[in-house]
Amino acid sequence: PQGVPTGAGASPAASAPAIGLGRPNPTDKGILTVTVIRARGLSGWQHQADPYVTLALMETAGEDTGKAGDAGAVTRLSMREEQRSKTVYNEASPRFNEKFDFIMVPASSVLLVTVWDQTTVAEAVVSLSLSRERFRDQVLGRVKVPVLDVAAAGRVRSSWPLQGAMMGELEMIVNWIPQSFVE
């Protein structure tokens, strides 16, 4: 599945201490805390990257296919909340060390973390003659983390390879606290 680390951190559960929460129900809610530690091996467009990270909490929603007895409902994602890190200028392996909290998160959600290369004013001026697209911030890669997997483990600390990138990875700590623990 996407968002599952490979290599040295092959299993998120293997890199996390056992809390013994068990497999949660997809409708369970809780607090999701994400600490973005650092990214490694980023590359910008003909320059040193100016990276920042967005974290989007996506909720799943099943759609009725309209066919009687069809067990394969179509699942789509809709954004519930988005947060953004600081920008680290001229750095291919930035350290963010930023913490983000998401409250009352359904366990069936997906955390979509996107690493961006911010277009600076100087780059925008130079790039106007080359391409209008280059004026926009560029996606360097993405990581999808199923919240259900984090909720089952309680805590996951790992490095995820960036999807859609030739290279690069993102190191994070993701914690889940069930709503029942905070009531």
Side-chain angles (χ1 to χ4, degrees), residues 10-60:
S11 167
S15 64
I19 294 180
L21 297 178
R23 193 74 178 166
N25 185 315
T27 59
D28 289 351
K29 292 188 178 187
I31 299 170
L32 187 70
T33 301
V34 181
T35 303
V36 178
I37 299 170
R38 65 182 168 179
R40 282 182 284 230
L42 303 178
S43 60
W45 181 77
Q46 299 181 348
H47 66 278
Q48 188 75 281
D50 300 318
Y52 66 93
V53 175
T54 58
L55 300 93
L57 188 61
M58 311 297 284
E59 288 188 350
T60 58

Side-chain angles (χ1 to χ4, degrees), residues 39 42 51-54 94 96 113-117 138-143 162 169-170:
L42 303 178
Y52 66 93
V53 175
T54 58
F96 294 99
V113 184
T114 305
V115 181
W116 296 86
D117 179 13
Q138 301 296 305
V139 174
L140 297 176
R142 290 187 168 95
V143 172
L162 292 174
E169 64 183 19
L170 186 63

Side-chain angles (χ1 to χ4, degrees), residues 142-157:
R142 290 187 168 95
V143 172
K144 289 182 183 176
V145 180
V147 174
L148 203 55
D149 292 348
V150 176
R155 179 178 191 266
V156 177
R157 179 182 182 142

Side-chain angles (χ1 to χ4, degrees), residues 14 21 86 90 100-101 104 121 125 149 169-170 173 175 181:
L21 297 178
K86 66 185 179 218
N90 298 315
F100 304 89
D101 292 316
M104 297 300 291
V121 173
V125 169
D149 292 348
E169 64 183 19
L170 186 63
I173 301 171
N175 293 300
F181 282 21

